[in-house]
Amino acid sequence: MLSSKLAIVTGGGSGIGQEICKKLAASGAKLIVADLKKSAAENTAKLLTGSSHTAFEIDVSKLSDVNRLREFIKNWKTSPSVLVNCAGITKDSTLLKMSQEQWQDVMNVNLNSIFMMSQMVARESVKSETPLSIVNVSSIVGKIGNFGQTNYAATKAGVIGFTKSAARELATKNVRVNAVLPGFIRTPMTEAMPPKVLETMVSMVPQRRLGEPEEIANAVLFLASDMSSYVTGTTLEVTGGLGM
């Protein structure tokens, strides 16, 4: 489905991002695994099916790093066909206790980076007339909110608005922009939670289970590939029914 197409995945060094890299590589894509930790990105690249994959160390919240990635892409002599913006952080606190730093750090990584990365790659796509699919990883928290996560929820809601607006602007330029909204997904963090907390989370989900990282990757593959060629500006909720 993505044979020989160049794909960039931010936050590809671990978790959902790593699973997305695996899924795209298995579908034939050549991956640039972009992550804040180069060792994590390199580890992911080694796990991928096929060859021609590479790791790239980047702080997506810094324009200088995004510009450095732009120069790196020129070495491939082809423009990316897929961009998955998956990098994200949490710095949880209640509104009354949240610091300006906690707010701004999450805003920089979770929202500002999506603007910078999408703008950079879309410009290259339009210039080279290469069809492009941008997939932004938001969260169901951006739709329904969550206690102690005003910063995180605000960024993920912002991703949804950004996705729909960018999709309108770029639709005639052969660039599609969509978002995936994961729900409660099984990760090392959730597995380390006290059983009662985990039970409470699961009880909120109509399907009564956590999602698996691969289920998010499947949704991303659909939006990244030509299977969704007539889909843009949409938000795909992968939540087991949470938030419907």
Side-chain angles (χ1 to χ4, degrees):
M1 288 183 284
L2 296 174
S3 181
S4 299
K5 291 184 177 181
L6 181 60
I8 303 170
V9 180
T10 70
S14 62
I16 292 172
Q18 184 181 82
E19 201 64 39
I20 291 169
C21 289
K22 290 179 181 178
K23 184 66 64 173
L24 299 185
S27 297
K30 297 180 291 185
L31 267 293
I32 297 178
V33 183
D35 200 274
L36 182 62
K37 298 179 179 179
K38 187 173 183 180
S39 59
E42 289 173 338
N43 180 59
T44 295
K46 292 176 183 177
L47 298 174
L48 302 181
T49 302
S51 58
S52 301
H53 309 300
T54 189
F56 189 86
E57 182 178 10
I58 184 172
D59 181 343
V60 291
S61 69
K62 293 182 178 179
L63 181 58
S64 58
D65 276 24
V66 174
N67 287 336
R68 189 165 51 83
L69 175 58
R70 181 191 63 203
E71 294 304 311
F72 179 77
I73 291 170
K74 292 179 180 179
N75 296 330
W76 290 72
K77 294 181 172 51
T78 183
S79 291
S81 297
V82 177
L83 168 64
V84 182
N85 286 307
C86 189
I89 63 171
T90 58
K91 290 196 174 182
D92 296 349
S93 176
T94 59
L95 175 61
L96 298 182
K97 296 180 180 179
M98 185 174 292
S99 68
Q100 179 70 23
E101 182 180 21
Q102 286 173 305
W103 174 270
Q104 197 60 55
D105 285 351
V106 174
M107 195 67 61
N108 287 340
V109 175
N110 293 8
L111 186 55
N112 293 354
S113 71
I114 287 183
F115 158 69
M116 292 186 290
M117 286 293 302
S118 298
Q119 183 185 65
M120 182 270 286
V121 176
R123 281 174 171 172
E124 294 299 316
S125 169
V126 172
K127 182 180 178 181
S128 64
E129 298 184 341
T130 302
L132 172 66
S133 174
I134 298 174
V135 184
N136 297 320
V137 179
S138 179
S139 169
I140 194 62
V141 170
K143 176 183 176 182
I144 65 176
N146 197 31
F147 186 92
Q149 289 193 316
T150 52
N151 51 0
Y152 183 79
T155 61
K156 294 305 184 179
V159 170
I160 295 170
F162 174 88
T163 296
K164 291 181 177 294
S165 297
R168 285 183 181 275
E169 292 182 13
L170 298 172
T172 60
K173 302 181 186 301
N174 218 359
V175 177
R176 297 185 298 111
V177 190
N178 294 287
V180 173
L181 276 61
F184 296 148
I185 306 301
R186 191 185 307 280
T187 63
M189 183 177 69
T190 58
E191 290 180 346
M193 289 180 175
K196 287 187 177 180
V197 175
L198 197 57
E199 287 174 13
T200 300
M201 286 176 58
V202 171
S203 70
M204 297 169 62
V205 181
Q207 286 192 327
R208 295 295 187 269
R209 69 174 179 85
L210 297 177
E212 301 295 336
E214 185 179 10
E215 293 175 301
I216 305 302
N218 287 338
V220 170
L221 174 60
F222 168 70
L223 293 173
S225 73
D226 287 341
M227 288 190 295
S228 60
S229 56
Y230 199 52
V231 179
T232 194
T234 195
T235 55
L236 178 52
E237 299 179 14
V238 188
T239 67
L242 178 66
M244 65 178 173

